[in-house]
Amino acid sequence: MSGGAAGVGSGSGAGLAVVSGAGLAVNGVPSAEAGVGGGARETVSPAERQSALVIEVSDHHPERVVRDDGVGRPYDAVEYGRGLRLVAALSDAWGITYRTGTKTVWARLPAETIPTAEAAEAYEGEHALRRGQRAAEILAPAPRRTVQDQDWLNRGALSFLAEASDLLGGQLDEDLVAALTGQLVVPRLADWCAVWLEDEAPGRADGGLVGGPRLARVWHGSENRMEELRRLLEKDPPDLPDSARSGPVPMPWPAEALGAKAEDGSALAFRLIAGGRPLGTLVIGRAGQDHFPDEITGLVEDLSRRVALAIGAARQYARQATISRVLQRGLLPGAVAEIPGVRSALVYEPCDKGGPSGDFYDLFPAGDGRWCFALGDVQGKGPEAAVVIGLARPWLRLLAREGYAVPDVLDRLNQLLLDDATETADAAARALVADGGRGLADEGPQNRFLSLLYGELVPVEGGVRCTLASAGHPLPLLLQPSGQVREVAQPQTLLGVFEDANYGCGTFELRPGDSILCVTDGVTERRNGHRQFDDEDGLVAALTGCAGLNADLIAERIRRLVHEFGGKPPEDDLALLVLQAE
């Protein structure tokens, strides 16, 4: 039997076959075919087949002779065929069989050298690191140590830390950082490890102590030990002194959870500190040793600093994401109003899922049988856009409910934005003077422009009367049941630009089946190379194809066409509102 991977033996293209219980086709090879050093291959009896392991390595292109002349050579000399000495030392019978174009090395291992499942678990789990005592040996084992070797090993440790930094630095979830830490440490540096995290929110209790550290991750070389180790560690969280900083602190050995194979060992705890704040604790353990080598403790201490920085960055991101979500909920209505005789459909897709969008919408009752709707787009995104939306949307509702007509609402909102921009600029100038021209100079002027489509709906007999105006916004389109599409507003200037701007409006009636489509520039300016979605009246053509559809289907069809227009996901916020008279 042969495989494709290189194995023990000389030449190239060697294959490896491992067969338990013998049963090989060449078990009865006559002694005349035996090769160097092995003598005649013995016939394996049925009893022996149940208690022996036979290994064969076949080389279909034998090129080199076996070297076993006993001549000593320098350590760095190129060697071939030395693997057979290991075969001879481990096996009770071995040999080399030559056939036409093929050389096969075989060896029979006695039963006592074959590890049991229990022994294999112990080797892979509790004693995985006994193969080497130093961190350098774990990262880069070598049989001899020279000055050049040590220099190479040091570079291996630096490579490990660089790899850890790259892996941990891009994570935005602290629990994922803890999980990756366990996989980095085990089995390279320890048999097991645990990561405790200090909760920032007092009173939180997800499996741990209220307001105290929680056990975020436990990792062991043997998976069947993890749960028991976790239960034991949760009972006694580490309590390290402030003087410990990030250095190693001895911890009690959890023998109860590790079984008879690991009754003794060494455990160390490292505080995770970033920016002077304790974020948690990293605990590592190794069975069968009373202390960790200095190389390992130094390496884990360096690793713990990187883990702490990654946890701190993840928490900062989580705080900002929480603020953004809360802010976004406050900038948008909790639900759109239902208008008698009108069906509405909304699509709202912010480009940045973690921050405030520059687009906003609203649909609300204004009293006296009136309903008002708005679709706006603020210049920019993030906090500055949130400031403008937080100013504009409440004022729209207030002015509408006070009975102001559509043009008057736009006039007053325009003046409000201009006044706010002036006050903001004055405050920035005073802060710049007080700061001596430092710190705030790079912020520049904060322009607060707003494009807005604002309208008023009044159900009447036979339809709905609609009054609306567009201030620097893509014009709304009216779709009739026949498939005819036309614009139903006139273009006007942005809000917050000119103090002497005067806004007008238009009024028309929605008949049953008529639909109004209102969009932001994330729809009209959706790009595919040099082309935009609305080039050559692309939006009109898309809406024409929606004749006969209800409001929900119209909104979904336009959304799908916009997404399919470009090969990449949209790079701008996308919002559209469909209003259809029933």
Side-chain angles (χ1 to χ4, degrees):
M1 298 176 63
S2 63
V8 180
S10 61
S12 60
L16 175 63
V18 179
V19 180
S20 179
L24 299 176
V26 292
N27 276 348
V29 177
S31 60
E33 292 183 305
V36 179
R41 183 163 184 177
E42 303 171 346
T43 301
V44 181
S45 68
E48 290 175 317
R49 292 181 184 181
Q50 303 304 319
S51 60
L53 177 71
V54 177
I55 301 175
E56 286 191 349
V57 179
S58 294
D59 186 353
H60 295 284
H61 302 281
E63 296 177 354
R64 303 185 183 96
V65 298
V66 178
R67 187 175 290 176
D68 193 21
D69 51 14
V71 179
R73 291 177 176 82
Y75 167 69
D76 58 350
V78 177
E79 293 272 356
Y80 303 105
R82 290 291 189 182
L84 292 180
R85 293 188 176 182
L86 179 61
V87 173
L90 294 177
S91 62
D92 62 356
W94 71 279
I96 302 176
T97 302
Y98 288 96
R99 291 188 176 89
T100 305
T102 303
K103 178 182 70 178
T104 300
V105 179
W106 61 269
R108 188 182 68 198
L109 301 182
E112 55 268 20
T113 64
I114 305 173
T116 63
E118 181 180 358
E121 176 193 344
Y123 178 80
E124 294 297 335
E126 288 90 347
H127 304 291
L129 294 181
R130 292 187 179 180
R131 296 185 300 272
Q133 298 298 313
R134 304 172 58 193
E137 292 175 342
I138 294 170
L139 297 173
R144 299 186 184 181
R145 302 294 168 208
T146 65
V147 175
Q148 292 80 5
D149 291 335
Q150 189 61 49
D151 179 63
W152 185 84
L153 293 175
N154 290 337
R155 291 199 302 271
L158 292 176
S159 267
F160 169 75
L161 292 174
E163 175 190 350
S165 297
D166 290 341
L167 184 63
L168 298 172
Q171 308 307 324
L172 301 177
D173 181 270
E174 62 180 64
D175 290 312
L176 182 56
V177 171
L180 291 173
T181 301
Q183 297 180 48
L184 284 168
V185 171
V186 178
R188 277 190 271 194
L189 304 178
D191 290 341
W192 59 268
C193 83
V195 180
W196 296 81
L197 295 178
E198 298 285 345
D199 281 332
E200 291 187 302
R204 176 180 172 182
D206 30 350
L209 298 178
V210 177
R214 64 182 178 91
L215 186 54
R217 184 68 181 183
V218 174
W219 196 266
H220 194 285
S222 178
E223 290 190 14
N224 58 1
R225 296 291 183 189
M226 288 187 191
E227 196 58 36
E228 190 173 354
L229 181 59
R230 168 182 284 276
R231 286 195 296 267
L232 182 64
L233 293 177
E234 281 180 333
K235 299 176 182 178
D236 188 18
D239 185 14
L240 305 186
D242 293 340
S243 59
R245 301 305 296 168
S246 61
V249 176
M251 295 291 292
W253 180 251
E256 180 183 340
L258 299 179
K261 300 291 185 179
E263 293 181 352
D264 59 356
S266 177
L268 295 176
F270 299 80
R271 297 184 74 203
L272 301 175
I273 300 175
R277 298 179 56 193
L279 303 180
T281 305
L282 170 64
V283 182
I284 64 172
R286 176 185 288 182
Q289 298 180 10
D290 57 1
H291 72 284
F292 274 86
D294 293 340
E295 289 86 352
I296 289 185
T297 57
L299 192 60
V300 176
E301 186 172 352
D302 286 340
L303 177 64
S304 68
R305 297 190 187 101
R306 288 160 171 78
V307 172
L309 290 174
I311 292 173
R315 288 190 171 184
Q316 180 65 23
Y317 173 82
R319 284 192 292 268
Q320 292 176 347
T322 300
I323 293 172
S324 296
R325 286 194 298 269
V326 172
L327 186 59
Q328 188 77 2
R329 286 198 298 266
L331 297 176
L332 299 173
V336 294
E338 295 185 2
I339 307 173
V342 177
R343 295 188 63 179
S344 63
L346 175 73
V347 172
Y348 180 74
E349 295 180 352
C351 181
D352 183 4
K353 305 299 182 182
S357 166
D359 291 359
F360 71 97
Y361 61 89
D362 206 353
L363 181 59
F364 59 93
D368 299 328
R370 299 177 299 124
W371 280 262
C372 295
F373 64 94
L375 192 64
D377 187 0
V378 178
Q379 181 194 36
K381 295 179 177 62
E384 282 301 318
V387 169
V388 179
I389 297 174
L391 185 69
R393 198 173 71 85
W395 273 98
L396 277 174
R397 289 197 168 205
L398 177 62
L399 293 171
R401 287 168 177 169
E402 289 293 322
Y404 285 94
V406 170
D408 296 331
V409 170
L410 296 184
D411 286 335
R412 282 160 175 76
L413 187 56
N414 180 60
Q415 191 60 52
L416 178 67
L417 292 173
L418 289 169
D419 292 344
D420 182 71
T422 301
E423 293 173 1
T424 302
D426 291 343
R430 288 193 298 270
L432 186 62
V433 171
D435 193 47
R438 300 183 304 274
L440 298 176
D442 295 336
E443 292 191 6
Q446 301 298 330
N447 298 319
R448 294 181 174 178
F449 305 148
L450 171 63
S451 75
L452 181 67
L453 185 65
Y454 174 69
E456 180 181 280
L457 299 172
V458 179
V460 296
E461 185 177 354
V464 179
R465 185 172 67 247
C466 179
T467 303
L468 59 79
S470 173
H473 203 81
L475 299 179
L477 299 176
L478 174 64
L479 170 65
Q480 296 177 331
S482 63
Q484 182 179 358
V485 176
R486 63 184 176 91
E487 295 176 344
V488 286
Q490 298 297 321
Q492 300 178 89
T493 188
L494 290 166
L495 297 173
V497 179
F498 300 111
E499 189 168 356
D500 57 350
N502 292 315
Y503 294 93
C505 64
T507 301
F508 59 94
E509 285 195 11
L510 287 174
R511 300 296 181 183
D514 288 349
S515 303
I516 300 177
L517 173 64
C518 310
V519 302
T520 60
D521 60 8
V523 173
T524 57
E525 297 178 4
R526 166 76 160 131
R527 302 193 69 86
N528 183 1
H530 297 293
R531 296 175 56 243
Q532 293 186 348
F533 184 77
D534 199 31
D535 287 348
E536 300 177 356
D537 292 329
L539 183 58
V540 172
L543 186 58
T544 301
C546 297
L549 301 180
N550 62 34
D552 292 320
L553 294 178
I554 292 174
E556 175 57 27
R557 180 181 178 86
I558 299 298
R559 186 203 69 82
R560 179 173 55 81
L561 291 174
V562 171
H563 276 269
E564 293 175 351
F565 182 74
K568 299 180 180 179
E571 298 179 354
D572 195 5
D573 304 321
L574 187 153
L576 63 91
L577 176 66
V578 177
L579 301 170
Q580 186 178 68
E582 294 181 323

